[in-house]
Amino acid sequence: MAKITFIEYDGAEHSVDIQDGLTVMEGAIRNMVPGIDADCGGACACATCHVYVDPAWSGKIGERSSMEESMLDFASDVQDASRLSCQIKVTAEMDGLVVRLPKEQG
Amino acid sequence: MSGTLIIGGGQAALSAAAELRKHRYDRPITMLTDEAVAPYQRPPLSKAYLSGELSRDRLWLKPAAWYQNAGINLRTAVHITALDRGACDVIAHTGERIGYDTLILAMGGQARRLPVPGTNLDRVHVLRTLAETETLSAAFHEARSIIIIGAGYIGLEVAASARKRGMAVTVLEAAARPMARTASALVGGWFGAIHRGYGVDLRVNTPVKAIVGDEKATGVELDDGEMIEADLVLVAAGLSVNDGLAATAGLACEDGIVVDHQARTEDGNIYAIGDVARFHSRLYDRSLRLESVQNAVDQARVAARAICGQAVDYDPVPWFWSDQYEMKLQITGLIEGADERVRRGDPEEGRFALFHLRDGVMIACEAINSVPEYRAAQHMIATGARPAPDRLRNPGVAMKTFLP
């Protein structure tokens, strides 16, 4: 279990508990966090679950896979902190993680 | 105060409800689904769910609390038998009349039945709904062999899932190659070879004469008289579209309910979206009916916006995907009508893309384990780009350089 805080583009914050093994995207959907559409359901096919995660967390959440990297390469508003939340599996180590949502998903 | 009534419980229906609320639609929204459960993801049914890698509780598109929070009245196991456009009512199997101000038809389709004897036998399965998948999944546990009729996406994905469980798998396809309806000869043939490599007995040009057995199916008889035995039979012969309700109510239907660029039928109060809707594509200059998540979600958004007075036109760059073994197939655009094909990468290495051009313009891309090619092609199709074939073909030229 990890407490993860989602911050919408307009600043609205949602802190939710997500159980281990789910993805950050699934945790957002289950907790009704707006702004994460995840059209493809986590197949890494649509890039509608784009989030920003402080790169300081990369040790705990893992690096981008090459598929994720390629999806993000062609997404809007991409930054160094960009991740696809369907590709991040939650572990207890991620307690306190903060993810921000891009403008396009506002 | 009838508000909007949505017939259907798939991804199009759910997306329409969610988008209406997102655009601050404040009237009542009712969803009627003939399934016993709330909306769920269909794509994993034949893939991770059937192979046991994804649990049932991860299929739901929204948590139960969402419907209450969003003010969506979801009613399950309601079968709609008629549409009374004069009264603005639909009629349920119980005789109940349910009124609407705006109606969204999102009934999708059902697994097509084969016109051969024996399809009603026990142990003959189809896979479209969660309930059908659970019946098949339960049968998987006791079965050692399966015959799959049809080598489309569903048939091949189930073949991969069944091989992962160690079952003997026979796939019978009437056409000359796998995925003949949606993929090119190169890609369809390549997937066929992959399946054979994993031990699937895949036969093309092989129509089925009958499914055989007393009570329980024990196998299949081919057109040439050969008998093949198996514990289970899956009919994966495509989708039969649920447009009968609309057709009976006098709405124009041509293998799907005909809608305009805002997903509206000829009745201004009635929209149709997703698998059940047929629309005109300006991009491809022809009438299309798409069976995909992309179409379900994006056409739902268009309908919701039109209902909220923020109309936008629907003219999508379609996209599809399929996961089989370790292969991720991603297709964007439609390959029909291409006059030039450009391959990038080596099929022998399990990673390549096939671009389809017409008059030099990018119209489609089939990508196998090749996400940059797929994503760049999506952009190029949307903008009508005319990439130089020599550069496309050269893996040394980064795909990003094809974008403005």
Side-chain angles (χ1 to χ4, degrees):
Chain A
M1 182 85 82
K3 187 174 283 299
I4 295 181
T5 301
F6 296 84
I7 305 178
E8 290 185 68
Y9 186 72
D10 68 6
E13 291 193 16
H14 310 264
S15 286
V16 304
D17 291 321
I18 305 180
Q19 70 186 72
D20 293 8
L22 293 182
T23 64
V24 170
M25 175 278 283
E26 288 177 301
I29 300 276
R30 286 184 181 208
N31 290 285
M32 297 177 276
V33 175
I36 294 190
D37 288 333
D39 291 351
C40 76
C44 203
C46 71
T48 59
C49 67
H50 181 190
V51 296
Y52 303 121
V53 183
D54 188 327
W57 281 90
S58 66
K60 288 178 178 163
I61 66 176
E63 302 287 335
R64 299 169 179 164
S65 69
S66 67
M67 186 183 294
E68 181 183 350
E69 187 89 39
S70 301
M71 288 301 292
L72 284 168
D73 257 348
F74 296 90
S76 312
D77 304 318
V78 177
Q79 306 172 0
D80 289 345
S82 289
R83 295 296 306 260
L84 292 181
S85 56
C86 73
Q87 301 298 306
I88 304 173
K89 255 209 178 114
V90 173
T91 65
E93 280 207 312
M94 292 182 207
D95 195 51
L97 182 71
V98 175
V99 306
R100 292 177 299 112
L101 305 188
K103 185 177 181 185
E104 199 173 78
Q105 288 162 215
Chain B
M1 287 296 282
S2 301
T4 293
L5 184 61
I6 302 171
I7 313 292
Q11 197 151 3
L14 185 278
S15 300
E19 288 292 314
L20 282 167
R21 288 297 184 233
K22 192 168 162 184
H23 292 289
R24 316 220 179 279
Y25 180 81
D26 60 2
R27 313 270 325 274
I29 299 176
T30 300
M31 288 179 69
L32 306 175
T33 170
D34 60 1
E35 293 186 58
V37 295
Y40 54 88
Q41 304 177 62
R42 275 189 220 285
L45 295 182
S46 50
K47 310 179 183 87
Y49 182 64
L50 190 61
S51 64
E53 293 154 39
L54 191 74
S55 60
R56 192 175 193 268
D57 70 312
R58 296 176 74 178
L59 291 175
W60 309 117
L61 284 167
K62 295 285 185 188
W66 179 84
Y67 296 91
Q68 196 170 1
N69 277 25
I72 312 290
N73 179 20
L74 170 68
R75 296 179 58 186
T76 55
V78 178
H79 301 263
I80 301 303
T81 56
L83 162 57
D84 181 345
R85 289 165 57 201
C88 289
D89 280 341
V90 298
I91 301 159
H93 64 294
T94 54
E96 180 189 3
R97 280 182 170 263
I98 303 158
Y100 65 84
D101 295 315
T102 304
L103 179 65
I104 301 178
L105 301 174
M107 306 83 92
Q110 51 199 298
R112 179 176 287 137
R113 308 280 156 170
L114 277 186
V116 302
T119 54
N120 291 327
L121 292 169
D122 200 13
R123 292 185 180 169
V124 178
H125 296 263
V126 293
L127 193 162
R128 163 76 179 170
T129 66
L130 177 57
E132 288 161 354
T133 310
E134 289 182 328
T135 307
L136 176 64
S137 179
F140 258 36
H141 286 292
E142 291 153 17
R144 283 176 301 180
S145 58
I146 184 169
I147 294 170
I148 298 167
I149 303 174
Y153 291 129
I154 300 281
L156 292 182
E157 287 168 0
V158 172
S161 300
R163 284 303 296 146
K164 277 185 193 168
R165 290 199 185 196
M167 292 166 71
V169 180
T170 305
V171 178
L172 306 174
E173 170 59 52
R177 61 170 196 265
M179 304 193 291
R181 209 163 51 87
T182 51
S184 65
L186 175 69
V187 169
W190 187 85
F191 267 96
I194 291 292
H195 278 273
R196 290 188 182 108
Y198 274 92
V200 173
D201 179 6
L202 168 65
R203 307 186 192 185
V204 296
N205 295 314
T206 307
V208 167
K209 190 191 285 178
I211 300 170
V212 295
D214 310 318
E215 288 183 36
K216 290 176 180 171
T218 53
V220 159
E221 182 181 1
L222 304 181
D223 263 11
D224 64 8
E226 184 185 346
M227 304 287 285
I228 304 174
E229 291 188 355
D231 298 332
L232 295 177
V233 176
L234 173 74
V235 178
L239 185 87
S240 170
V241 68
N242 285 339
D243 61 0
L245 182 80
T248 305
L251 295 170
C253 293
E254 295 162 22
D255 178 39
I257 304 166
V258 176
V259 297
D260 68 12
H261 288 107
Q262 280 95 46
R264 199 182 286 109
T265 68
E266 58 192 335
D267 182 325
N269 299 320
I270 304 180
Y271 294 75
I273 57 174
D275 290 3
V276 82
R278 176 168 290 282
F279 65 97
H280 179 263
S281 162
R282 292 187 181 121
L283 183 61
Y284 290 96
D285 191 25
R286 65 176 185 267
S287 148
L288 298 178
R289 190 178 65 73
L290 299 174
E291 298 168 8
S292 70
V293 164
Q294 172 277 317
N295 182 61
V297 172
D298 290 342
Q299 203 169 25
R301 287 182 176 137
V302 168
R305 292 189 57 154
I307 291 165
C308 294
Q310 304 167 30
V312 289
D313 277 4
Y314 186 53
D315 195 17
V317 176
W319 52 266
F320 316 84
W321 81 92
S322 178
D323 299 322
Q324 299 169 32
Y325 311 105
E326 306 311 316
M327 309 301 158
K328 184 180 245 345
L329 169 65
Q330 293 172 296
I331 300 180
T332 180
L334 302 171
I335 65 173
E336 201 184 313
D339 54 26
E340 186 177 4
R341 286 167 195 82
V342 179
R343 201 186 76 207
R344 179 181 169 104
D346 183 359
E348 296 288 313
E349 288 170 8
R351 183 185 181 291
F352 69 101
L354 190 65
F355 300 100
H356 300 258
L357 295 89
R358 184 178 58 212
D359 299 329
V361 177
M362 177 74 71
I363 62 167
C365 171
E366 299 167 283
I368 290 156
N369 297 334
S370 298
V371 181
E373 284 76 3
Y374 162 73
R375 292 285 279 169
Q378 269 182 331
H379 285 261
M380 285 192 270
I381 296 165
T383 56
R386 311 171 72 92
D390 283 351
R391 296 185 66 235
L392 266 186
R393 187 175 290 125
N394 181 354
V397 178
M399 289 312 299
K400 279 198 100 167
T401 64
F402 290 94
L403 271 50

